[in-house]
């Protein structure tokens, strides 16, 4: 019972709120991807997927620092690099496309 009490206390703290919001944001990207793909009737990864990915990742990095958790810190760091790179590539393509038009 003491473990559950400690977990609940952690969730209700500022640090816990950051972690929960980051996790929800990170998880919601799959729902967004699913909805967009269903509407288009093909597999699509929308720009919002990458925005939710980086936002959730950054919040989870903050949580990892506040919680002194090197495992989460290492795991999320690699993802942030990939999400940032995808956002850069998408922006470049949009700029190049708008110049070509």
């Amino acid at each position: 019972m003491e473990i559950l009490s400690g977990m609940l206390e952690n969730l209700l703290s500022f640090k816990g709120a950051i972690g929960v919001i980051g996790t929800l944001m990170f998880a919601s990207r799959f729902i967004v991807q699913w909805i967009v793909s269903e509407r288009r009737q093909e597999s699509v990864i929308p720009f919002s997927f990458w925005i939710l990915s980086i936002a959730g990742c950054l919040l989870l990095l903050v949580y990892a620092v506040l919680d002194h958790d090197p495992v989460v810190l290492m795991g999320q760091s690699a993802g942030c690099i990939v999400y940032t790179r995808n956002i850069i590539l998408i922006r470049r393509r949009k700029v190049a496309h708008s110049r070509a038009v």
Side-chain angles (χ1 to χ4, degrees):
M1 197 58 143
E2 197 172 309
I3 292 173
L4 290 177
S5 176
M7 291 171 85
L8 182 59
E9 187 176 314
N10 187 22
L11 281 176
L12 297 176
S13 69
F14 175 74
K15 172 182 70 176
I18 294 288
V20 168
I21 292 167
T23 298
L24 291 173
M25 192 173 287
F26 197 73
S28 71
R29 67 197 183 125
F30 293 111
I31 296 168
V32 169
Q33 191 271 334
W34 179 29
I35 291 168
V36 171
S37 292
E38 286 297 328
R39 285 182 180 162
R40 294 188 188 177
Q41 292 298 298
E42 64 178 324
S43 182
V44 177
I45 299 178
F47 186 69
S48 56
F49 177 91
W50 300 113
I51 295 299
L52 288 167
S53 297
I54 194 75
C57 179
L58 290 172
L59 285 173
L60 289 172
L61 282 174
V62 169
Y63 174 80
V65 169
L66 292 173
D67 201 41
H68 307 285
D69 188 333
V71 174
V72 173
L73 188 66
M74 288 186 304
Q76 292 300 320
S77 296
C80 279
I81 293 167
V82 173
Y83 310 141
T84 301
R85 181 65 178 149
N86 276 289
I87 290 170
I88 291 168
L89 292 172
I90 292 167
R91 291 282 189 198
R92 279 188 191 165
R93 186 182 69 220
K94 285 184 179 183
V95 168
H97 179 71
S98 66
R99 289 181 181 164
V101 174

